[in-house]
């Protein structure tokens, strides 16, 4: 059983303990009050291990730095890259020391590299002009397609980033610079071209003063002077069958005097070789030369076809000397 003496001792112990606890709490509050009076919680900011200042609002300062890196502080900037990011350490700072957020921001951003975003419009993968926005680039492409530019299928848009800005071109000027007119056919098409004055035919072999080469390789299907149901008189030349599109070469060098459509001859080419000597190439599907053009022996002047009065793809070849038709087989084939 507890004695009265023991109970008194326990009571004294509790009273003493309570006094100590109260004194401790009061001391802590006094210390906290003193610290709060002379100091304030803040962040020490370091860059590459070097103290560069203090900030009371870490979140606001870092947000400003993030906006700088994202390029939102200046129009036309895609983003900025800085060498290193700041580090923050919580500390107590005397109230008479002023935070220097602006200086910290300046030091962090002074090494920043800014990148500009723009768009290159390409032609056959080669950069030709530059615009500031994707919308402008799309307008250029759409306008070129609308105008049926010859290069419309080769036009592309490339998103670009660079540390230097480009000289931008207005949409209408881009279109003018990139537009390519669809090339016109090299041949001159006329309603009717005379096959020339022919005074007669001859099977004799006369000297041409030049040598001829075969305009095409193929099978002879109708010889000079032959008579078929499709014509009322003797054949005026030599027919050599070949697939449509086969290249036709000039039998000798000279000047093109006719290149166009000539009734039953279809698309026809006539070359003057001088001294009254001419060669004729008829029923072409394509003409690669025009009247007045100089050609050399072996030069491709057209393509085999079946235009005019024809039963199938072939070359009708004539050799003329002073208006008289001679058998081409006396000189070629």
């Amino acid at each position: 059983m507890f004695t009265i003496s023991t109970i008194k001792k326990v009571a004294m112990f509790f009273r003493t303990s309570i006094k100590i606890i109260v004194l401790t709490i009061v001391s802590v509050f006094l210390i906290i009050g003193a610290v709060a009076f002379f100091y304030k919680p803040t962040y020490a900011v370091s860059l590459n291990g070097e103290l560069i200042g203090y900030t009371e609002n870490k979140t606001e300062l870092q947000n400003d730095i993030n906006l700088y890196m994202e390029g939102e502080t200046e129009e036309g900037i895609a983003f900025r890259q800085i060498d290193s990011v700041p580090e923050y350490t919580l500390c107590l700072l005397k109230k008479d020391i002023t935070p220097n957020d602006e200086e910290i921001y300046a030091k962090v951003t002074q090494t920043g590299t800014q990148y500009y975003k723009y768009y290159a419009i390409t032609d056959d993968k080669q950069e030709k002009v530059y615009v500031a926005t994707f919308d402008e680039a799309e307008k250029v492409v759409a306008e070129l397609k609308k105008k049926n530019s010859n290069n419309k299928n080769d036009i592309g848009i490339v998103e670009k980033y660079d540390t230097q800005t480009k000289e931008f071109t207005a949409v209408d000027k881009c279109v003018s610079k990139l537009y390519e007119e669809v090339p016109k056919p090299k041949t001159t098409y006329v309603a009717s071209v005379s096959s020339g004055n022919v005074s007669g035919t001859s099977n004799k072999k006369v000297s041409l003063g030049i040598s001829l080469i075969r305009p095409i390789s193929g099978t002879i299907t109708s010889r000079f002077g032959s008579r078929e149901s499709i014509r009322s008189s003797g054949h005026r030349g030599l027919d050599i069958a070949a697939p449509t599109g086969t290249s036709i070469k000039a039998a000798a060098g000279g000047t093109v005097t006719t290149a166009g459509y000539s009734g039953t001859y279809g698309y026809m080419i006539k070359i003057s070789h001088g001294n009254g000597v001419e060669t004729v190439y008829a029923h072409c599907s394509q003409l690669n030369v025009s009247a007045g053009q100089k050609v050399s022996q072996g030069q491709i002047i057209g393509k085999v076809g079946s235009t005019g009065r024809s039963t199938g793809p072939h070359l009708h070849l004539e050799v003329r000397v002073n208006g008289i038709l001679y058998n081409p087989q006396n000189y070629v084939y």
Side-chain angles (χ1 to χ4, degrees), residues 14-90:
F14 276 109
R15 282 198 298 268
T16 303
S17 297
I18 291 171
K19 288 180 181 179
I20 293 172
I21 292 172
V22 171
L23 288 173
T24 301
I25 292 173
V26 171
S27 299
V28 169
F29 274 105
L30 289 174
I31 292 171
I32 292 175
V35 170
F37 183 79
F38 293 105
Y39 295 90
K40 57 185 174 182
T42 187
Y43 290 91
V45 185
S46 300
L47 189 66
N48 295 322
E50 178 186 351
L51 180 66
I52 59 174
Y54 300 92
T55 179
E56 292 179 352
N57 195 327
K58 165 190 171 184
T59 301
E60 184 176 331
L61 176 60
Q62 187 59 47
N63 184 57
D64 289 340
I65 294 172
N66 291 342
L67 289 176
Y68 169 82
M69 291 191 292
E70 292 167 5
E72 296 185 13
T73 57
E74 185 179 335
E75 186 177 357
I77 304 296
F79 63 90
R80 294 183 179 91
Q81 194 173 47
I82 59 178
D83 293 343
S84 58
V85 294
E87 297 179 354
Y88 302 90
T89 304
L90 183 63

Side-chain angles (χ1 to χ4, degrees), residues 60-225:
E60 184 176 331
L61 176 60
Q62 187 59 47
N63 184 57
D64 289 340
I65 294 172
N66 291 342
L67 289 176
Y68 169 82
M69 291 191 292
E70 292 167 5
E72 296 185 13
T73 57
E74 185 179 335
E75 186 177 357
I77 304 296
F79 63 90
R80 294 183 179 91
Q81 194 173 47
I82 59 178
D83 293 343
S84 58
V85 294
E87 297 179 354
Y88 302 90
T89 304
L90 183 63
C91 63
L92 292 174
L93 187 67
K94 287 185 177 181
K95 285 190 174 182
D96 59 348
I97 299 178
T98 304
N100 57 332
D101 292 45
E102 292 183 0
E103 292 181 12
I104 295 171
Y105 178 86
K107 288 183 179 180
V108 171
T109 60
Q110 68 182 357
T111 59
T113 302
Q114 56 191 23
Y115 289 82
Y116 298 89
K117 179 181 179 180
Y118 58 93
Y119 295 87
I121 302 177
T122 62
D123 184 357
D124 194 23
K125 298 182 180 180
Q126 298 296 316
E127 295 179 10
K128 297 296 184 180
V129 291
Y130 303 95
V131 293
T133 66
F134 184 70
D135 182 61
E136 290 177 301
E138 281 193 316
K139 287 180 180 178
V140 173
V141 175
E143 193 64 25
L144 288 170
K145 289 183 178 179
K146 181 179 177 181
K147 290 178 175 289
N148 194 33
S149 179
N150 188 54
N151 60 347
K152 62 182 183 294
N153 294 325
D154 297 323
I155 300 296
I157 301 173
V158 179
E159 186 175 274
K160 302 284 290 185
Y161 294 89
D162 202 344
T163 57
Q164 301 293 326
T165 58
K166 291 287 186 180
E167 182 178 350
F168 298 140
T169 306
V171 171
D172 57 342
K173 292 184 178 180
C174 287
V175 174
S176 298
K177 187 172 182 178
L178 292 171
Y179 176 77
E180 290 184 7
E181 187 175 354
V182 176
K184 297 178 180 179
K186 294 181 180 180
T187 58
T188 303
Y189 297 100
V190 293
S192 177
V193 179
S194 172
S195 59
N197 295 321
V198 177
S199 57
T201 62
S202 174
N203 268 310
K204 293 181 180 180
K205 182 177 181 180
V206 296
S207 174
L208 303 180
I210 57 173
S211 60
L212 304 182
I213 64 171
R214 294 183 177 186
I216 65 169
S217 296
T219 303
I220 295 175
T221 55
S222 182
R223 300 182 185 278
F224 181 77

Side-chain angles (χ1 to χ4, degrees), residues 258-325:
T258 299
Y261 200 87
S262 180
T264 59
Y265 278 72
Y267 288 112
M268 180 194 79
I269 301 167
K270 183 165 63 175
I271 301 175
S272 172
H273 307 287
N275 298 319
V277 179
E278 298 174 312
T279 51
V280 174
Y281 313 79
H283 306 304
C284 302
S285 63
Q286 177 181 315
L287 307 181
N288 290 21
V289 293
S290 55
Q293 182 177 338
K294 299 286 187 181
V295 295
S296 56
Q297 188 176 56
Q299 180 177 334
I300 295 174
I301 57 174
K303 304 287 185 180
V304 169
S306 186
T307 57
R309 190 176 182 183
S310 170
T311 58
H314 71 283
L315 170 66
H316 172 85
L317 174 66
E318 292 182 4
V319 175
R320 303 177 181 182
V321 181
N322 295 320
I324 298 176
L325 291 163

